[in-house]
């Protein structure tokens, strides 16, 4: 049917009427959210609560007369913000990217002439001509159709193309898979259904991630501790007779020293390393904090098509009145294995396959080294069936004489080739037009019971003139057979779902497909059993509390959902305390992806809109990749606890000299000063902390429920402030005193100053660094002593320790640095005593682990929540 045939009797709008309507309606354009300027996004990385804590610390350093310290802290904050900004440069533009779903040109009838116009120039009542491959550019009412098939998956989630009839509507964002149509525009721009989804997408604000909440909590704790320490030291300074101004400046310096300046860049870089590891496993992280959020996931709402399944329709079995055939092969590749029972049934199979293909326009094509579907995936699967059965394409030699396209009411279509009528369609719609075939119903029930999609193929010989109507053509048919198709589940899906169960993660399937299809796939991949209820979107309760309670279970399946349904589901489940990961690939999924704690989009089959609304993009569209990303997320959570323990332990050793000074009333000199603390925090501390952030996932990390505790909890406090920190502090102070004793000082005498004090301070500094070395290895696990952890699993830590020792040498023996820090290289005695920090810290660590572990970790005894996660 030509364009002229379609528009007979329709002249379209006049140019004057188009201009008038454009004046009233505006452009056929989607609502666009104004992009956040780059400078504002960068500023956001500098003013979150954690960063503000460091800005205040740097400002106080200037007040205390230590501009070097203040500048150093400011540089740390800016560099960290710049790094985070660069990592997340691909900012949120979900609504704007919806424009890519609109074609640039559209064919319309105006002034009785067929013309092409820009899509944004469409107005209501325009007459639009649609052909195969066209993207629908506005909401349309179909006036005439010819063999029309429309892919609505981006809006509805339905994987099977729809076959709308005259008077039905198609919406902007869909595209024409097959056939032709004439339609009238009924809505443009902001009045389309696509625009409604865009508004939903804009309305969603990214949820506050668990990591951001924890970092804010840690910031508040550190700020509170720093303020208390400052007030206490200011009070002590006044008690020992220090002038108020000097006491205030000293208290400010101590307050700044308490803040672990290396923590912020360590967190950011650790997340970046986690993101890199996820990328190596085909999971692209768009927002750094999503790395840790994945590890906190308690419930995954997963799509079906393309995530649990391969999104490739394939024929797996054919029933024929005289036998049956099984078909196997890989995807859409035309080669495969066909087994007929009885063997002589191959001729009947070829007859059926030829008829099915002639009733289809979808085909497979070889592109970029792989076979892909062109048109309807189901019809492409029928083409593959014919190729595997050895049936050659004969459309050129035997053209169609008549075609009666698929009709939603008839649920079948037919063509006339030579002197035969070939028909395919829904089995019940064809059985009623066929000569009796008693075994067909039993075969249909058997195949449908396995969750396969079944179509029937029939034919008849023409004995009279060419039929002029479908009803005339599709009568007195002979059933050739039933074709059973499946969208095969991914091979890894069942194992990945089982891993989720072991990890304590609930999985809910949410799909736009038919309930029976969803039930069958869920059963096949192990998501649920025969008793698993399958809900539909219209059955979901409207009350959020009831909805959350209904779906807060493992193996729930929801079919025929709308975009609004997915959004409500995400909100309801998160209101019950779940950390929800929502998967999606279509435009319809974007609002829910933004609402969920973590949105997971498909990289291969997904739309740009879904990808831009997500936090994580699966480059292989595989559910198993989500599980791998969860594993890395949990490892990142454990790593943050590792280096948080490491930082806080060293803070105890850094603060101890100030405590001793205060308790002595100022008579005991400071073992290390504020600038030395800064050198430890952002000099020697950072590299080992980063190496701890690179620890690989521990064995059995997915064998426990997700951690719901805080990053900074009582156990971590007890380990850092009650065991490791005090030992490190005691050794550094002992080294400080031992250095004085080595040069002849005795208790009761005035402490030496000048070079002796500088060397003693250098010895204390050295002891803290050696304690850091031991602490770094100790923090790799909370249950295993250092000698039971293989170094080969984190070689980066070895290089970090070597670099730390090199920096120690520079701080001690490079004159400009040593002078700035008011220290010098330790004496031989001081250096030897400082070395004792390593065995002392390791011994304390081993004893603490021995007495605190609940069982023998060597034989896999149960361990507390974080211990298995942190075991190397």
């Amino acid at each position: 049917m030509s364009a002229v045939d379609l528009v007979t009797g329709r002249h379209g709008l006049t140019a004057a009427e188009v201009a008038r309507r454009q004046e009233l309606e505006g452009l056929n354009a989607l609502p666009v959210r104004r992009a956040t300027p780059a400078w504002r996004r960068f500023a956001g990385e500098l003013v979150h609560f954690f960063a503000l804590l460091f800005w205040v610390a740097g400002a106080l350093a200037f007040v205390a007369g230590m501009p070097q310290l203040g500048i150093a802290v400011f540089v740390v904050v800016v560099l960290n913000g710049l790094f985070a900004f660069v990592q997340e440069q691909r900012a949120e533009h979900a609504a704007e990217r919806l424009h890519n779903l609109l074609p640039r040109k559209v064919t319309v009838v105006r002034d009785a002439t067929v013309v092409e116009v820009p899509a944004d120039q469409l107005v209501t009542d325009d007459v639009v001509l649609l052909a195969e491959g066209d993207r629908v550019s506005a909401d349309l009412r179909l006036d005439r159709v010819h063999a029309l098939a429309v892919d609505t998956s981006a809006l509805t989630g339905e994987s099977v193309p729809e076959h709308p009839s005259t008077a039905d509507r198609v919406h902007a964002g869909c595209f024409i898979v097959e056939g032709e149509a004439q339609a009238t525009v009924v809505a443009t721009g902001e009045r389309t259904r696509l625009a409604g989804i865009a508004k939903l997408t804009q309305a969603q604000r990214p949820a506050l991630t668990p990591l951001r909440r924890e970092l804010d909590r840690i910031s508040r704790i550190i700020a509170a501790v720093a303020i208390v320490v400052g007030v206490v030291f200011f009070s002590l300074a006044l008690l020992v007779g220090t002038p108020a101004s000097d006491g205030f400046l000293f208290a400010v310096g101590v307050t700044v020293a308490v803040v672990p300046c290396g923590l912020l860049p360590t967190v950011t870089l650790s997340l970046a390393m986690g993101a890199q590891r996820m990328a190596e496993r085909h999971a692209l992280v768009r927002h750094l904090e999503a790395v840790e959020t994945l590890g906190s996931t308690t419930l995954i709402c997963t799509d079906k098509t393309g995530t649990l399944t391969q999104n490739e329709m394939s024929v797996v079995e054919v029933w024929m009145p005289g036998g049956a055939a099984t078909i196997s092969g890989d995807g859409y590749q035309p080669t495969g294995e066909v087994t007929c029972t009885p063997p002589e049934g191959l001729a009947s199979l070829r007859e059926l396959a030829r008829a099915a293909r002639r009733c289809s326009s979808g085909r497979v094509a070889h592109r970029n080294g792989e076979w892909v579907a062109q048109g309807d995936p189901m019809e492409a699967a029928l083409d593959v069936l014919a190729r595997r059965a050895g049936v050659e394409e004969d459309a050129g030699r035997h053209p169609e004489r008549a075609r009666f396209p698929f009709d939603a009411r008839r649920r079948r279509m037919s063509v006339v080739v030579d002197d035969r009528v070939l028909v395919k369609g829904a089995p019940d719609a064809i059985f009623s037009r066929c000569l009796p075939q008693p075994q067909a119903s039993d075969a249909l029930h058997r195949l449908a019971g396995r969750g396969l999609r079944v179509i029937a193929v029939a034919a008849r010989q023409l004995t009279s003139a060419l039929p002029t109507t479908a009803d005339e053509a599709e009568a007195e048919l002979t059933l050739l057979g039933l074709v059973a198709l499946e969208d095969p589940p991914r091979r890894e899906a069942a194992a990945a779902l089982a891993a989720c169960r072991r990890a304590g993660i609930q999985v809910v399937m949410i799909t736009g497909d038919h309930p029976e299809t969803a039930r069958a796939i869920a059963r096949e991949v192990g998501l649920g059993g025969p008793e698993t209820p399958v809900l539909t979107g219209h059955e979901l309760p409207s009350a959020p509390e009831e909805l959350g309670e209904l779906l807060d279970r493992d193996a729930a399946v929801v079919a025929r959902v709308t975009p609004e349904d997915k959004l409500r589901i995400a909100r309801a489940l998160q209101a019950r305390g779940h950390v929800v990961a929502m998967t999606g690939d279509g435009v319809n999924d974007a609002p829910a992806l933004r609402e969920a704690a973590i949105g997971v989009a498909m990289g291969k089959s997904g739309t740009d809109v879904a990808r831009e609304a997500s936090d994580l993009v699966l480059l292989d569209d595989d559910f198993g990749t989500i599980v791998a990303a969860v594993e890395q997320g949990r490892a990142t959570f454990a790593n943050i606890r590792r280096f948080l323990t490491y930082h806080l332990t060293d803070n105890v050793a850094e603060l101890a000299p100030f405590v001793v000074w205060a308790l002595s009333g100022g008579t005991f000199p400071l073992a290390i000063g504020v600038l030395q603390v800064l050198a430890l925090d952002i000099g020697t501390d950072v590299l080992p902390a980063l190496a701890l952030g690179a620890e690989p996932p521990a064995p059995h990390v997915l064998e426990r429920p997700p951690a719901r505790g805080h990053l900074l909890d009582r156990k971590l406090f007890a380990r850092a402030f009650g065991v490791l920190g005090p030992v490190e502090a005691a050794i550094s102070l002992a080294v400080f005193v031992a250095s004085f004793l080595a040069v002849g000082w005795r208790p009761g005498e005035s402490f030496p100053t000048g070079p002796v004090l500088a060397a003693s301070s250098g010895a204390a500094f050295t002891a803290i660094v050696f304690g850091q070395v031991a602490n770094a290895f100790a923090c790799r696990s909370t249950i295993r002593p250092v000698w039971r952890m293989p170094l080969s699993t984190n070689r980066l830590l070895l290089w970090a320790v070597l670099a730390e020792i090199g920096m120690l040498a520079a701080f001690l023996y490079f004159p400009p640095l040593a002078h700035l820090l008011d220290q010098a290289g330790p004496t031989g005695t001081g250096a030897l005593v400082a070395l004792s920090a390593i065995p002392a810290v390791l011994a304390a660590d081993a004893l603490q682990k021995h007495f605190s572990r609940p069982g023998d970790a060597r034989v896999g005894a149960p361990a507390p929540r974080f211990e298995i996660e942190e075991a190397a």
Side-chain angles (χ1 to χ4, degrees):
M1 183 181 297
S2 68
V4 175
D5 294 331
L6 279 171
V7 301
T8 300
R10 294 294 304 275
H11 300 286
L13 299 176
T14 64
E17 181 63 17
V18 168
R20 188 184 71 81
R21 296 190 182 215
Q22 286 177 348
E23 183 74 22
L24 294 173
E25 300 174 7
L27 293 177
N28 177 35
L30 295 171
V32 178
R33 182 179 58 191
R34 183 174 298 174
T36 303
W39 68 267
R40 185 172 295 176
R41 297 199 306 271
F42 176 61
E45 299 292 345
L46 303 179
V47 296
H48 54 74
F49 191 89
F50 205 37
L52 290 175
L53 174 62
F54 291 96
W55 283 116
V56 172
L60 289 176
F62 277 93
V63 173
M66 293 176 284
Q68 305 97 323
L69 176 60
I71 292 172
V73 173
F74 290 163
V75 169
V76 168
V77 177
V78 173
L79 288 179
N80 183 79
L82 182 62
F83 181 80
F85 171 75
V86 171
Q87 288 292 318
E88 299 185 0
Q89 183 62 28
R90 293 169 298 176
E92 298 287 336
H93 291 301
E96 291 86 336
R97 293 300 291 272
L98 282 163
H99 283 285
N100 292 337
L101 293 179
L102 294 182
R104 295 181 180 179
K105 295 286 186 179
V106 62
T107 303
V108 299
V109 181
R110 288 179 178 172
D111 290 318
T113 303
V114 177
V115 295
E116 278 195 344
V117 299
D120 61 3
Q121 300 298 312
L122 280 180
V123 296
T124 304
D125 291 333
D126 251 330
V127 177
V128 177
L129 303 183
L130 300 172
E132 183 176 329
D134 284 351
R135 182 78 70 171
V136 180
S137 52
D139 287 356
L140 310 174
R141 181 189 67 248
L142 296 173
D143 299 325
R144 300 184 184 184
V145 297
H146 178 68
L148 188 67
V150 182
D151 184 346
T152 64
S153 60
L155 290 177
T156 66
E158 172 63 70
S159 61
V160 180
E162 295 183 0
H163 296 268
S165 304
T166 300
D168 288 342
R169 292 195 177 192
V170 293
H171 299 281
C174 302
F175 67 89
I176 308 304
V177 173
E178 177 186 346
E180 298 173 316
Q182 173 187 304
T184 300
V185 176
V186 295
T188 61
E190 297 185 356
R191 293 164 291 281
T192 62
R193 176 168 172 75
L194 183 62
I197 296 175
K199 291 175 182 177
L200 280 176
T201 303
Q202 291 180 19
Q204 307 313 310
R205 293 291 181 265
L208 196 64
T209 66
L211 178 61
R212 177 54 58 195
R213 289 195 295 268
E214 281 299 297
L215 291 179
D216 287 348
R217 176 178 177 270
I218 292 171
S219 300
R220 292 185 178 92
I221 293 174
I222 292 174
V225 170
I227 292 172
V228 169
V229 168
V231 170
V232 169
F233 275 88
F234 178 65
S235 302
L236 290 174
L238 295 180
L239 289 176
V240 299
T242 304
S245 59
D246 293 342
F248 174 74
L249 295 178
F250 177 73
V252 169
V254 175
T255 300
V256 175
V258 171
V259 178
C261 298
L263 183 58
L264 187 61
T266 304
V267 170
T268 302
L269 291 172
S270 177
L271 293 175
M273 284 189 283
Q276 179 60 36
R277 286 182 172 176
M278 287 184 182
E280 293 171 357
R281 302 181 76 166
H282 308 294
L284 178 63
V285 175
R286 298 188 64 252
H287 306 291
L288 285 183
E289 290 179 10
V291 174
E292 189 277 333
T293 305
L294 268 168
S296 304
T297 299
T298 61
L299 190 146
I300 299 175
C301 293
T302 179
D303 203 352
K304 176 188 71 66
T305 305
T307 308
L308 296 177
T309 67
Q310 298 178 22
N311 198 22
E312 293 182 347
M313 296 292 290
S314 61
V315 177
V316 294
E317 189 170 338
V318 176
W319 175 88
M320 297 164 290
T326 57
I327 295 88
S328 61
D330 188 10
Y332 289 118
Q333 291 187 18
T335 57
E337 184 176 346
V338 177
T339 304
C340 289
T341 306
E344 53 269 22
L346 182 59
S348 298
L349 174 65
R350 286 174 173 167
E351 181 186 9
L352 178 148
R354 176 180 178 272
R357 179 162 64 182
R358 290 308 305 265
C359 289
S360 307
S361 60
R363 295 292 185 268
V364 293
H366 195 255
R367 291 180 179 173
N368 301 322
E370 62 177 344
W371 289 89
V372 296
Q374 283 187 319
D376 188 335
M378 183 200 72
E379 295 189 344
L382 296 177
D383 180 36
V384 173
L385 169 66
R387 290 169 182 259
R388 289 175 179 172
V391 178
E392 295 183 359
E393 180 71 71
D394 61 357
R397 299 190 305 273
H398 303 278
E400 293 178 5
R401 299 175 59 195
R403 183 180 185 88
F404 303 97
F406 182 90
D407 183 280
R409 289 178 291 274
R410 287 170 35 241
R411 294 187 298 149
R412 57 183 181 267
M413 63 86 59
S414 57
V415 296
V416 179
V417 178
D418 295 336
D419 58 352
R420 283 173 63 81
V421 178
L422 309 176
V423 187
K424 85 170 193 297
D428 55 345
I430 288 185
F431 285 175
S432 62
R433 313 290 291 185
C434 287
L435 300 174
Q437 181 52 256
Q439 297 176 341
S441 294
D442 292 339
L444 172 62
H445 289 305
R446 177 178 60 83
L447 295 172
R450 291 165 48 194
L452 300 174
R453 185 180 183 194
V454 183
I455 63 171
V457 182
R460 78 175 177 90
Q461 198 77 21
L462 280 179
T463 57
S464 58
L466 187 70
T468 57
T469 65
D471 190 64
E472 181 184 344
E474 299 161 357
E476 298 183 347
L477 301 172
T478 298
L479 184 67
L480 298 181
L482 301 175
V483 180
L485 303 99
E486 70 170 355
D487 180 3
R490 291 182 178 272
R491 296 184 182 91
E492 308 84 357
L497 287 166
C500 284
R501 284 199 173 89
R502 293 194 300 272
I505 300 173
Q506 297 172 215
V507 179
V508 178
M509 179 195 289
I510 302 177
T511 178
D513 262 333
H514 190 278
E516 288 305 315
T517 304
R519 187 196 306 275
I521 292 297
R523 185 171 61 246
E524 193 164 351
V525 298
L527 181 60
E531 304 82 15
T532 300
V534 178
L535 305 171
T536 57
H538 73 271
E539 295 174 335
L540 298 177
S542 57
E545 298 81 6
E546 295 179 19
L547 177 60
E549 183 178 0
L550 179 65
L551 298 181
D552 192 359
R553 66 175 76 179
D554 191 28
V557 179
V558 188
R560 297 300 193 200
V561 294
T562 65
E564 294 79 6
D565 290 333
K566 296 191 76 167
L567 187 58
R568 289 198 304 118
I569 290 171
R571 287 174 174 168
L573 291 172
Q574 290 184 152
R576 291 179 64 85
H578 279 291
V579 178
V580 175
M582 176 74 71
T583 74
D585 56 4
V587 177
N588 62 309
D589 297 318
L593 292 178
R594 289 180 61 84
E595 176 68 26
I598 180 161
V600 183
M602 304 299 109
K604 291 175 65 177
S605 62
T607 61
D608 284 341
V609 180
R611 287 192 287 267
E612 289 297 326
S614 68
D615 304 291
L616 187 79
V617 178
L618 302 184
L619 302 180
D620 55 5
D621 292 8
D622 188 354
F623 184 85
T625 302
I626 302 178
V627 179
V630 169
E631 180 184 45
Q632 183 58 52
R634 290 192 179 184
T636 300
F637 183 88
N639 288 347
I640 293 175
R641 283 178 58 86
R642 285 187 178 97
F643 60 68
L644 188 58
T645 305
Y646 173 81
H647 277 302
L648 294 180
T649 295
D650 293 337
N651 268 30
V652 175
E654 295 162 359
L655 185 61
F658 297 94
V659 175
V660 173
W661 173 87
L663 293 177
S664 70
T667 60
F668 191 90
L670 280 171
I672 60 173
V674 173
L675 288 179
Q676 287 170 291
V677 170
L678 180 67
L680 291 167
D681 271 352
I682 61 177
T684 59
D685 249 7
V686 171
L687 290 179
L690 289 176
L692 287 173
E695 283 283 335
H700 314 303
V701 71
L702 289 179
E703 301 297 325
R704 287 289 181 101
R708 289 178 178 265
H710 294 295
L711 279 171
L712 190 58
D713 58 9
R714 292 181 180 178
K715 181 180 177 181
L716 193 153
F717 260 115
R719 182 165 159 77
F721 290 94
V723 180
L724 300 178
V727 171
E728 194 175 310
I731 295 296
S732 66
L733 291 172
V735 171
F736 185 63
V737 174
S739 297
F740 286 130
L741 293 173
V743 296
W745 172 85
R746 294 295 177 266
E749 299 177 358
S750 298
F751 284 92
T753 58
V756 174
L757 178 60
S760 299
S761 181
F765 186 90
T766 302
I768 293 176
V769 172
F770 286 157
Q772 286 177 335
V773 170
N775 185 31
F777 289 101
C779 286
R780 294 184 66 201
S781 172
T782 57
I783 60 175
R784 301 182 188 276
V786 169
W787 52 85
R788 287 180 51 203
M789 291 182 286
L791 295 177
S792 60
T793 57
N794 191 352
R795 297 184 185 276
L796 185 60
L797 184 59
L798 295 176
W799 290 107
V801 166
L802 290 175
E804 181 180 17
I805 294 174
M807 295 179 71
L808 170 64
F811 286 138
L812 292 174
Y813 299 109
F814 184 59
L817 286 177
H819 178 72
L820 177 66
L821 300 179
D822 288 330
Q823 66 180 12
T827 63
T829 301
L832 287 175
V833 180
L835 276 172
S836 67
I838 295 178
V841 170
L842 295 181
D845 170 67
L847 287 172
Q848 186 263 337
K849 290 173 179 175
H850 176 77
F851 288 108
S852 65
R853 67 185 181 186
D856 190 354
R858 289 169 295 183
V859 294
R865 176 177 300 158
F866 291 117
E867 291 187 337
I868 281 185
E869 291 183 10
E870 297 189 33

